[in-house]
Amino acid sequence: MPPPSRLSSLAIPALLAAVALAAVPTWELWREKWELERILEGGEGSFEIYGCIGMLGADEWPLAAIRDDLSRVVETAESWAVPALAVFLGLLAYVRGKDPQVVGRRVAGLLVLTAVAEPLIPLYSEPGGCGGTVPLLSADWFGRVLGNWGANQLCLLPAAALVYAASRTRRRAAEPGVAATGAAWRRPVAAFIDYVIVVVALRVVVEPAWALIGSHYLWFPWFHQGLLGRLDEVFESTVKPGEVLALTSWLLYFWLQHTVWGRTPGKWLLRLRLVNVRTGGRLGAGRAALRTLAFPFLAVVPDVGLVLLFAGGLAALFDADGQVLHDRLLGAAVVRHRPRRFDTEGDRHVTDLA
């Protein structure tokens, strides 16, 4: 390992400060919950609750569905202190000299995404309360988003800057078999593309077909609630055929394509491919099925499902190849797809992991 630079002595205090800053959103979230519980239990103060009849945001599909699912992901991440935990693990990676620059970039990117996403997820209402919601992507909506930037953004963005700056003070010597391709961002982008495709397919294709059979259990008009908001009912006694159909469609979308081609449209656009680590070929129907089941079932398990997914995602931040935990356990890997050289001697897929 190369000798540390003169700035290395400031890196540890900077990372510790970043941990504290990244913990502010979690503290604020829990402080508000505790304050509300104290008021409700002690009968202190007074407040009024207003309600509106109707489906706010239902006419803005699929943007409203994306907003709802994003809000669940961000709230869960902040409730379980994922930003602060990511920075702390980045500190440990820095001390151990384990890919400090790669880890620093990934952690800083996570903090920036969290800071930017947080003001995007509230359901902004028109003046008067029940006048409807502010249309997504309208000028008024952008104004509300900018006006909603506050303490959390002022903490997360400087934390990201501190993490990135600290990571640049130590370089890691090159090692055989490890190559930072800068492609870690491709996986979440590909997953987002596939998410949009599934939502659109359910609404445009499956919903009309479901209506033709005369079912009274249509779920899809409620798509402003998002996939995560409705699929959690699969584990409840109120489950309806619509939820089962949606989950089955989701599973088949990923399983069939990963089994036959090793890639979904999202992976194809981002030039990624799912492979068997040992052979470099397709993963196989059995392992592809287990991998496909991992995300939806964990995502909809009440209370802890998203937390388990975050744990797997954090593992990817600090993995030299950027692989999530369930891929490691199944002997799978998502790699950069290079058709002409994929099986050539010396072009091992481990060096091209996304």
Side-chain angles (χ1 to χ4, degrees), residues 206-246:
V206 179
E207 179 186 355
W210 191 245
L212 289 177
I213 66 176
S215 173
H216 299 289
Y217 296 102
L218 282 178
W219 156 54
F220 308 104
W222 294 83
F223 245 65
H224 66 289
Q225 295 184 355
L227 283 172
L228 299 179
R230 299 300 298 172
L231 290 182
D232 57 359
E233 293 189 6
V234 171
F235 288 86
E236 300 178 1
S237 58
T238 58
V239 61
K240 301 179 180 65
E243 278 81 5
V244 176
L245 177 62

Side-chain angles (χ1 to χ4, degrees), residues 58-146:
D59 58 340
E60 297 177 335
W61 172 91
L63 294 178
I66 297 172
R67 182 208 64 79
D68 183 74
D69 281 338
L70 183 61
S71 68
R72 293 173 184 274
V73 171
V74 172
E75 182 178 359
T76 303
E78 292 184 348
S79 296
W80 289 85
V82 171
L85 181 59
V87 178
F88 178 74
L89 294 176
L91 169 61
L92 297 181
Y94 180 88
V95 171
R96 297 176 57 189
K98 185 178 180 181
D99 298 314
Q101 292 192 0
V102 174
V103 172
R105 288 198 302 269
R106 293 172 180 174
V107 173
L110 174 65
L111 296 178
V112 171
L113 286 176
T114 304
V116 173
E118 192 182 62
L120 302 177
I121 58 181
L123 194 61
Y124 298 106
S125 60
E126 295 282 4
C130 290
T133 57
V134 176
L136 293 173
L137 304 183
S138 65
D140 191 11
W141 181 81
F142 280 109
R144 298 287 189 92
V145 169
L146 292 176

